[in-house]
Amino acid sequence: MFMVKKKINGNEYYYLNENKRVDGKVKTKTLAYLGKTKKEAEEKMEKILKDKNEIKSEMENKKTEKKIEQESTKISIEEMAVYCKRKGFVYQSGEIYGGLAGFWDFGHLGSELKNNIKKEWWKYHVHQRNDIVGIDGSIITHPKVWKASGHIDNFSDVFVVCKKCKKASKIDRSELGKVKCINCNGDYDEKTAKDFNLMFKVTVGESGESYLRPETAQLIFTNFKLVQESARMKLPFGIAQAGKSFRNEIAPRDFLFRSREFEQMEIEYFIKPDSNCPYEIPDEEILIYSAEMQEKEKSPEVMSIKEALKKGIIKKDWHAYWLSIQFRWFKNLGANPKNFRIRQHRKDELAHYSSDCWDLEYNFPFGWKELEGIADRKDYDLKQHEKFSGKDLRIFDEESKQKILPNVVCEPSIGVERSFLVFLFDSYFYDKERENVILRINPKLAPVKASIFPIIKKEEFEKMAKLIFDDLSKEWNVSYDESGSIGRRYARNDEIGTPYCITIDEESLKNNDATIRERDTTKQIRVKIPQLREIIRKLIFGEIEFEKAGKNFE
Ligand code: ATP
């Protein structure tokens, strides 16, 4: 597009023109009248170009949204379990003995994916912030911890048996008499309903008794003062922890979704009571389902989290901040934002110590379910531990020159296995043209970052490919594959999400280079071997576009 000046009857007029090739000839078309002076014309032209760019970028956004929609193929949780077993992600624990309900073993790919999820979570929440530090508490601790936290007295579900199909289920106390059997829609027998504590008891030494921890959070509270002092943390600050938790679930089900042994990644974020959030709230749009919407039986609404805060739907800036931060973590790692919503707990769901709680939910094949709970716990836990231990857990506040007991304004608590399912569901794609599953998982999470192939089984090719394997494996989990045709090797790697396949061919021997083939587009580039590791690193971190990372190669 360009501006032209025309003289008509001695007066000057400015127009916006465009050249287009029609039937092999260049034709000029006038798009808009811009005005009588150059200044006026330039301003108008700038506005037109800006509008056009905005429309273009909106169209591009729509295209990416469409791409995201097409990117995953919906499969059931049972089909996901079959895929996970077939490819070596997850097996039933003790399968050769018939398995044990609610326990799972992670195979050679599953353990890599799980570790990558935990690593990315830790990097985002601990390493990349200077207001959060991490700890690693023990799984079995002093039993009084669980008395103080309320787990011994209250951490129970209601155990019910269906009158019709006789299956046992767990329900919340508030659901008693209101819900039907999830298996056959029959009535639960209210007479035999009983509270069932979910903690596993263990014997310590010869006769001591304690419990396997049902959450990681309590160890953060018991260590709170030690961490604050040794890490010299100033409010507001957080303590993070990731690790195993155990719950004797009444009815483990839906593959990894509800198991008896799982991992959690949790943060307790401590603030000076009633202080505001000093951080910029990331502006994220998401489906919002407030307690009021649920009570009035309204549908959830897509809204920006900032707007929800302004409208008073989300009450605290801190809550808006943490909801955005958590949602963004999933988005940044390639999860489909359309499968997420935030749902506020209704009054009848709220724990007695919690003034507000929002769950980040995901649209699993069996419906919207909790992925992460983000509760405002006030000073409940620290007060309880002060009461039961008799220790002063207050810290000195420089500003008021007083000792204060901080509030936990948000406790983002997420399950590793539920996140594992989210990333798998959102990247599982059956490509009809390639007649193969392509696991389009973010390279940062991919269990195998690259697979290296000698094009044929000949010593000189194998030697060069093995040297590349040795070099790349210093940093990542990579594989070396020499069996089957190149096409088979690509397909095998696509199915497990390996983002890059590197081939050593005839040219490589002459030019000291290799081809890299990208999983999602199947495009290929040629790259010099000494630069390979650096290029793979940039590709994994998304710092360079694939096609610009080397010479195009057909
Ligand atoms: P639910 O209502 O689904 O039982 P919850 O509210 O008891 O979950 P929390 O105590 O808030 O769960 O635990 C925090 C997170 O830990 C959950 O959001 C979930 O991701 C994970 N989690 C909890 N229980 C299990 C379980 N039995 N199996 C796998 N993950 C779990």
Side-chain angles (χ1 to χ4, degrees):
M1 278 186 289
F2 54 96
M3 187 164 66
V4 287
K5 184 171 74 180
K6 284 186 187 169
K7 255 195 174 174
I8 305 169
N9 295 334
N11 295 323
E12 287 181 347
Y13 299 95
Y14 289 83
Y15 294 90
L16 183 67
N17 283 4
E18 183 184 50
N19 283 345
K20 263 201 168 166
R21 192 172 281 275
V22 183
D23 298 331
K25 287 184 189 157
V26 177
K27 289 197 170 174
T28 303
K29 195 177 155 196
T30 298
L31 298 174
Y33 167 63
L34 295 177
K36 287 184 181 168
T37 65
K38 195 169 178 203
K39 190 167 175 272
E40 188 188 349
E42 277 171 351
E43 279 171 9
K44 203 161 173 194
M45 180 165 154
E46 198 180 314
K47 186 172 179 312
I48 291 172
L49 290 177
K50 192 170 163 248
D51 289 350
K52 203 171 153 84
N53 280 340
E54 273 168 14
I55 292 169
K56 199 172 147 214
S57 81
E58 197 172 304
M59 278 163 63
E60 270 161 9
N61 279 346
K62 289 227 166 85
K63 261 195 239 154
T64 9
E65 273 174 26
K66 212 166 164 211
K67 206 170 144 225
I68 288 173
E69 264 172 37
Q70 290 167 351
E71 263 170 10
S72 68
T73 304
K74 297 262 170 269
I75 56 170
S76 67
I77 190 79
E78 291 80 15
E79 285 166 326
M80 179 55 81
V82 170
Y83 163 80
C84 281
K85 181 177 172 186
R86 189 166 55 83
K87 299 311 311 173
F89 281 94
V90 185
Y91 317 110
Q92 196 172 18
S93 191
E95 199 200 52
I96 58 168
Y97 294 100
L100 187 60
F103 297 93
W104 300 94
D105 294 337
F106 288 78
H108 72 296
L109 296 180
S111 50
E112 293 290 336
L113 174 56
K114 198 149 84 118
N115 284 341
N116 291 343
I117 291 172
K118 287 191 283 180
K119 200 163 71 192
E120 287 304 318
W121 186 88
W122 198 263
K123 223 193 298 171
Y124 180 83
H125 292 94
V126 181
H127 292 176
Q128 291 173 353
R129 308 180 55 116
N130 53 25
D131 59 339
I132 298 187
V133 288
I135 62 163
D136 185 12
S138 72
I139 283 170
I140 299 170
T141 186
H142 199 294
K144 262 199 179 172
V145 169
W146 308 112
K147 183 73 187 164
S149 67
H151 282 83
I152 290 181
D153 299 323
N154 301 315
F155 192 58
S156 49
D157 277 336
V158 177
F159 177 96
V160 279
V161 177
C162 173
K163 282 190 204 164
K164 205 162 130 199
C165 72
K166 309 288 176 217
K167 269 209 160 183
S169 278
K170 77 136 206 177
I171 56 169
D172 288 334
R173 186 138 289 286
S174 62
E175 293 174 323
L176 200 59
K178 292 185 199 152
V179 292
K180 297 269 186 189
C181 170
I182 51 154
N183 186 43
C184 72
N185 211 27
D187 288 322
Y188 288 125
D189 186 351
E190 285 183 45
K191 274 193 235 131
T192 56
K194 59 177 179 192
D195 280 336
F196 181 87
N197 193 294
L198 299 181
M199 282 200 296
F200 282 101
K201 259 193 193 152
V202 287
T203 308
V204 180
E206 200 210 341
S207 55
E209 235 183 36
S210 192
Y211 304 87
L212 296 182
R213 67 182 183 199
E215 61 173 34
T216 69
Q218 289 308 319
L219 279 300
I220 297 180
F221 295 118
T222 55
N223 288 305
F224 158 75
K225 206 167 172 186
L226 292 171
V227 176
Q228 188 270 328
E229 282 168 7
S230 53
R232 298 170 49 242
M233 302 304 284
K234 287 201 178 70
L235 292 172
F237 74 90
I239 303 178
Q241 183 170 210
K244 291 269 185 187
S245 291
F246 302 82
R247 294 183 188 180
N248 197 5
E249 294 282 355
I250 296 167
R253 60 171 180 272
D254 296 320
F255 186 33
L256 299 175
F257 180 82
R258 185 172 303 286
S259 43
R260 288 177 166 142
E261 175 176 338
F262 54 97
E263 290 194 62
Q264 289 180 309
M265 304 182 283
E266 301 192 289
I267 297 171
E268 300 302 331
Y269 202 81
F270 300 95
I271 64 160
K272 198 169 155 180
D274 302 322
S275 61
N276 290 331
C277 173
Y279 309 123
E280 172 71 25
I281 298 167
D283 204 9
E284 293 291 352
E285 265 202 352
I286 192 168
L287 198 59
I288 295 189
Y289 202 19
S290 67
E292 193 186 331
M293 289 170 187
Q294 295 163 61
E295 276 146 15
K296 293 190 175 161
E297 296 186 1
K298 285 187 185 165
S299 302
E301 274 175 52
V302 175
M303 212 186 285
S304 106
I305 292 183
K306 265 186 173 175
E307 195 187 325
L309 176 68
K310 242 191 234 159
K311 287 185 173 166
I313 296 173
I314 299 174
K315 288 183 216 112
K316 272 194 189 160
D317 52 0
W318 279 111
H319 234 125
Y321 172 76
W322 277 108
L323 285 162
S324 300
I325 288 285
Q326 296 312 93
F327 176 48
R328 191 167 265 200
W329 181 71
F330 278 101
K331 257 180 66 176
N332 288 353
L333 286 171
N336 183 353
K338 286 191 181 153
N339 287 332
F340 289 77
R341 75 175 184 190
I342 52 173
R343 188 184 73 81
Q344 189 177 25
H345 280 207
R346 300 178 310 270
K347 276 192 202 89
D348 62 349
E349 288 176 273
L350 270 183
H352 61 281
Y353 49 78
S354 181
S355 58
D356 198 8
C357 184
W358 286 80
D359 286 344
L360 182 64
E361 294 192 334
Y362 179 81
N363 195 5
F364 285 96
F366 41 92
W368 288 100
K369 298 280 173 208
E370 175 180 336
L371 173 61
E372 174 164 18
I374 305 173
D376 180 346
R377 299 180 70 99
K378 298 218 149 146
D379 58 3
Y380 172 79
D381 304 86
L382 289 181
K383 257 196 184 144
Q384 284 294 100
H385 287 297
E386 277 196 328
K387 191 168 132 195
F388 281 79
S389 68
K391 299 270 161 41
D392 179 6
L393 296 180
R394 291 173 304 161
I395 58 173
F396 188 74
D397 175 40
E398 291 286 349
E399 215 176 78
S400 59
K401 304 281 177 228
Q402 274 179 0
K403 276 181 136 190
I404 56 168
L405 195 64
N407 276 2
V408 166
V409 72
C410 274
E411 180 202 50
S413 169
I414 186 167
V416 177
E417 286 78 358
R418 289 189 193 177
S419 313
F420 184 99
L421 288 176
V422 165
F423 291 119
L424 284 182
F425 276 123
D426 279 354
S427 51
Y428 184 98
F429 174 70
Y430 182 76
D431 190 323
K432 288 188 190 130
E433 273 167 39
R434 282 149 79 175
E435 294 184 340
N436 196 33
V437 170
I438 321 290
L439 191 71
R440 292 176 158 173
I441 199 154
N442 186 300
K444 288 183 193 158
L445 297 179
V448 181
K449 302 286 186 250
S451 189
I452 303 117
F453 317 151
I455 195 152
I456 45 171
K457 276 193 186 179
K458 260 191 166 177
E459 204 190 328
E460 60 268 42
F461 296 97
E462 287 171 2
K463 201 171 149 202
M464 202 164 170
K466 279 180 187 158
L467 282 175
I468 295 176
F469 172 86
D470 289 344
D471 186 45
L472 298 188
S473 61
K474 286 180 191 142
E475 273 191 69
W476 306 287
N477 183 42
V478 294
S479 68
Y480 172 84
D481 189 352
E482 56 177 26
S483 68
S485 68
I486 287 285
R488 253 330 292 146
R489 287 182 253 175
Y490 282 153
R492 248 193 326 257
N493 277 284
D494 289 344
E495 215 180 350
I496 61 166
T498 309
Y500 307 108
C501 287
I502 298 165
T503 306
I504 294 299
D505 56 16
E506 293 279 352
E507 292 292 307
S508 310
L509 304 183
K510 282 188 243 156
N511 302 328
N512 197 30
D513 64 5
T515 65
I516 311 180
R517 178 252 197 198
E518 192 186 37
R519 176 194 65 204
D520 299 350
T521 59
T522 72
K523 286 193 174 145
Q524 297 193 36
I525 51 171
R526 275 203 100 88
V527 166
K528 291 281 178 204
I529 307 279
Q531 289 159 12
L532 199 53
R533 179 139 57 119
E534 184 56 24
I535 286 172
I536 293 286
R537 185 183 303 117
K538 282 190 173 153
L539 289 170
I540 291 172
F541 284 109
E543 288 169 4
I544 192 168
E545 274 177 49
F546 183 73
E547 280 163 76
K548 292 187 185 149
K551 259 207 242 154
N552 251 339
F553 176 74
E554 291 306 318

